[in-house]
Amino acid sequence: MADDNTYAIFKPLAQEITFDVDMSNLPCGIAADIHFAEMAADGGMAESSGWNTAGAKYGTGYCGARCPRDVKFVQGHDDCGASASSGSTYNGVCDPDGCDFNPYRMGNPSFYGSGKTIDTTEKFTVVAQFITDNGTPTGSLLEIRRKYIQNGVPITNSYVNVPGVNPSFNSITSNYCDQQKAAFLDMFSFQDRGGLSSVGDALKRGMVLVLSIYDDRDANMLWLDGQYPPGADPSIPGVARGTCATTSGVPADVEAMFPTSSVTISNIKFGPIGSTA
């Protein structure tokens, strides 16, 4: 918060955000989500024609279905692929496809999870960088780059290992998004609505930092941590997204079995690229 009644607004172009995260107490079907979302600084009071009298102080103005453009740095739990994504909107329909980089789905199942390169049984640091074409906040967004630090060791993001996608990719760019969608036969709705350029425009206007923990009453989180669609052949590129069983993630089950699930996010820093980690 900038003050008691106003969200802090971040303008991430040519900047980076760094934070520590411990998600070792998150099971299959419950995810942590750390992201920027485009929201009014007053929580939507001014544009509500008087019906919203609560405002930012009480957390209003957020669309959980990603109606604002948003950028996620980590979306996952202790044993599924972390995902950095850029969301956009369909015409009048929320919760669309974005462009994500889930290491497991992108062919590197040994990168992120319990005992893996990023060992999610321990705390680790995430650095998300927003690269522009001229290296300044006035430029256009070219790339969203993510890297990690764990036990003092810097770790670059994993590289792609999917037929039809350039194996040199390890970040989100327009070329990466195009090749990923084609390889997985996914919809091109993200590109049709402006793609990374539109996300960059939203970042330039300003974003609010959002932290959340949640389960999924529509798809049991399988789109993030299991096989999706659940009846599809897991050998088809893009179907396998993590190690969770297709029977996992039912909200009534996870809420009953794991009522003390938690995530700890700490040591948040924001500043020019190269200044926070």
Side-chain angles (χ1 to χ4, degrees), residues 217-266:
R217 297 181 183 276
D218 291 323
N220 299 342
M221 211 69 73
L222 296 176
W223 57 269
L224 177 67
D225 62 18
Q227 296 174 19
Y228 194 81
D233 182 349
S235 68
I236 297 173
V239 170
R241 294 118 187 276
T243 60
C244 294
T246 55
T247 55
S248 70
V250 178
D253 294 343
V254 296
E255 290 169 13
M257 295 170 63
F258 308 105
T260 60
S261 297
S262 64
V263 61
T264 301
I265 300 160
S266 59

Side-chain angles (χ1 to χ4, degrees), residues 2 17 23 34 49 95 100 104 110 124 143 218 228 248 255:
I17 185 168
M23 55 177 63
I34 304 103
S49 300
D95 206 15
D100 69 293
Y104 196 104
S110 65
F124 57 94
E143 178 183 7
D218 291 323
Y228 194 81
S248 70
E255 290 169 13

